[in-house]
Amino acid sequence: MTSLLSLTTNVPQLKATGDSGLAVDFDVKPLPSNKLHDTLPEPYVQSVHEAQHEAVPAATNGAEIQSKAKPQDVFPISMTQLEAKSDPQSPPAAKEGSKAIVHTAPTDAVPPPTHSLNPATRLKHKLRDTKDLIVCPGVYDGLSARIAQSVGFETLYMTGAGTTASLLGMPDLGIASRNDMVRNADMIANLDSHHSELIADMDTGYGGPVTIAQTVSQYIRANVAAFHIEDQVLTKRCGHLSGKKVVDHDVFLSRIRAARAAIDAERADIQLIARTDANQQHGYDECISRLKAAREWGADVGLLEGFKSKEEAAKAVKEFAPWPLLLNIVENGHSPLITVNEAREMGFRIMIFSFAGLAPAYMAMKEAYAKLKNDGITGIQGTGVGPKVLFDVCGLQEAMEVDEMAGGEDYKSIVAP
């Protein structure tokens, strides 16, 4: 097991040492034993910097590396190797005045074990290193996310329509605020961030370039793996309602540039998905033009919302290959229904089913409430679905194990039903 190094400032005094890395002058101070993190696997430890979730290799036992750089100088370090200048076989406790070497890993370096990667990096590797179609159910709250995880989905999609409906009880008309969306994404993304990735709706970015950059930073800190930002006007609506209007080409690209700059500034792996809703208002060719420009400005994935036919969807994939496209499926919406197998054959890389949770939940709850109103019962009796079943989905057993491991006995008496 290893200890975690605390980088108290992001920018050190740097001097080049050739291709092997950067020489860095640090003040090194021993960490108190209660700051050691001895529960993470060798040889990587998970970074806890809230704005940078890269995996950081272990270094000197119990060392806190503190830069002499000024606070206003910002140079986030990602995927770094930290080597203390000491005996590698038996590293002693760090001494005052010790030096460390920072080696910046190339972007195509062999990744560490997946359990030590943050969600954004895992999703990045899935898109880059595999040809798999990533199928994502739409989730909108903690329970829907837990249910999706319980049946085996690794990547989830937080729908803006579902968030607005469940959190606010309002239609998807751009009513949900940035705070609403960030708070919901943060909760869902961190339910099981070691095994699950979250793709989240970011609507229009909630303002101009400065606001967009701040929003992207908040999504990064929330552990979101990817987000899509669109070209609708601020008074937007669900992509499967009529009457959509989009901003002009240059405004859309300013949103993409602002988002890309924010990602690069934090050296994050969060995936930028450029979404265009221009098909309804301006047609297919304008959508292709916008997505090609977004790709040039650094978008990682494209999303053409509102295909008018299966042929149009297949054509778009061919136009952009090998650049990945995301397909949004909304049953009973404005686009044709495309199955997972059909999307895989077309070559889509991500497929989201935005209403996969919201619509069935609506139907089931409405039926139960109507039965209660008309018959005086809900119809749940006899199904076997009771409190413990629901709480098990929400992590009851894990919570009990944590309590028992810590010496607690408060929850040992919890049994079925």
Side-chain angles (χ1 to χ4, degrees):
M1 296 301 177
T2 62
S3 62
L4 184 64
L5 294 184
S6 171
L7 294 178
T8 58
T9 309
N10 286 333
V11 183
Q13 301 287 336
L14 303 177
K15 59 181 179 181
T17 61
D19 294 336
S20 62
L22 301 173
V24 185
D25 290 326
F26 288 109
D27 283 338
V28 182
K29 300 177 181 179
L31 273 178
S33 60
N34 62 358
K35 287 188 178 181
L36 299 182
H37 293 244
D38 296 323
T39 59
L40 297 175
E42 292 277 8
Y44 286 83
V45 292
Q46 188 70 25
S47 170
V48 295
H49 192 292
E50 64 178 357
Q52 177 60 45
H53 303 290
E54 294 278 0
V56 180
T60 308
N61 283 341
E64 178 180 9
I65 298 182
Q66 184 175 18
S67 167
K68 293 180 179 179
K70 298 178 181 179
Q72 61 266 31
D73 299 324
V74 178
F75 182 76
I77 299 174
S78 66
M79 293 299 290
T80 58
Q81 283 187 322
L82 303 177
E83 299 182 48
K85 289 190 173 180
S86 56
D87 181 3
Q89 300 300 321
S90 179
K95 299 180 180 180
E96 295 279 354
S98 298
K99 288 187 177 181
I101 303 297
V102 175
H103 296 274
T104 56
T107 55
D108 59 349
V110 177
T114 56
H115 59 253
S116 66
L117 294 176
N118 70 81
T121 305
R122 289 200 305 269
L123 182 60
K124 176 182 178 180
H125 285 305
K126 286 181 180 180
L127 288 170
R128 187 187 67 183
D129 301 333
T130 77
K131 299 297 182 182
D132 298 338
L133 173 63
I134 302 168
V135 180
C136 314
V139 300
Y140 51 87
D141 64 5
L143 180 59
S144 61
R146 288 286 200 179
I147 294 171
Q149 291 169 345
S150 74
V151 300
F153 283 104
E154 295 180 354
T155 309
L156 311 179
Y157 171 66
M158 189 193 83
T159 156
T163 298
T164 306
S166 64
L167 192 64
L168 304 176
M170 300 293 288
D172 186 12
L173 299 176
I175 296 171
S177 69
R178 177 177 69 179
N179 289 343
D180 294 328
M181 297 293 282
V182 170
R183 184 169 64 251
N184 206 37
D186 193 335
M187 180 270 296
I188 295 173
N190 290 288
L191 288 173
D192 187 7
S193 62
H194 293 293
H195 304 96
S196 181
E197 303 94 40
L198 181 68
I199 300 173
D201 191 346
M202 196 186 280
D203 295 319
T204 62
Y206 313 105
V210 175
T211 301
I212 290 170
Q214 292 175 341
T215 305
V216 170
S217 294
Q218 290 180 5
Y219 271 50
I220 292 171
R221 291 196 293 272
N223 237 5
V224 171
F227 65 89
H228 63 72
I229 185 168
E230 66 195 45
D231 57 0
Q232 284 199 60
V233 297
L234 290 178
T235 52
K236 58 149 289 176
R237 63 196 65 192
C238 170
H240 288 261
L241 295 178
S242 300
K244 290 189 296 183
K245 294 181 180 180
V246 296
V247 297
D248 64 36
H249 190 277
D250 290 340
V251 174
F252 173 52
L253 291 184
S254 75
R255 293 176 180 176
I256 301 300
R257 292 199 299 270
R260 183 75 260 167
I263 295 170
D264 292 344
E266 301 205 28
R267 289 198 162 191
D269 279 337
I270 191 170
Q271 299 294 281
L272 167 55
I273 303 169
R275 165 176 162 169
T276 178
D277 287 72
N279 205 11
Q280 189 181 98
Q281 185 179 358
H282 298 297
Y284 176 81
D285 290 341
E286 177 64 16
C287 292
I288 298 302
S289 174
R290 290 181 179 222
L291 289 183
K292 285 183 176 180
R295 179 178 60 182
E296 292 300 314
W297 281 105
D300 299 298
V301 180
L303 165 53
L304 197 163
E305 179 67 354
F307 285 115
K308 297 176 182 178
S309 67
K310 292 184 179 181
E311 292 74 21
E312 193 175 70
K315 180 181 178 183
V317 175
K318 292 179 181 178
E319 290 211 43
F320 286 104
W323 192 56
L325 288 191
L326 181 154
L327 176 63
N328 181 24
I329 293 297
V330 176
E331 293 93 337
N332 304 312
H334 282 187
S335 294
L337 177 62
I338 298 175
T339 67
V340 169
N341 286 337
E342 288 173 328
R344 184 178 290 113
E345 291 176 2
M346 291 178 186
F348 282 99
R349 293 304 315 284
I350 305 175
M351 190 177 190
I352 59 176
F353 287 80
S354 298
F355 280 68
L358 192 63
Y362 162 77
M363 293 187 293
M365 285 191 286
K366 186 175 182 180
E367 180 180 356
Y369 294 159
K371 190 172 185 63
L372 176 60
K373 176 67 175 177
N374 298 326
D375 302 337
I377 58 171
T378 62
I380 298 173
Q381 186 68 26
T383 64
V385 179
K388 189 172 184 300
V389 171
L390 293 174
F391 298 154
D392 279 341
V393 171
C394 293
L396 175 62
Q397 292 302 318
E398 291 86 346
M400 293 170 62
E401 289 170 6
V402 169
D403 183 70
E404 183 177 356
M405 178 190 66
E409 298 183 355
D410 291 341
Y411 304 121
K412 282 187 174 181
S413 61
I414 295 178
V415 294

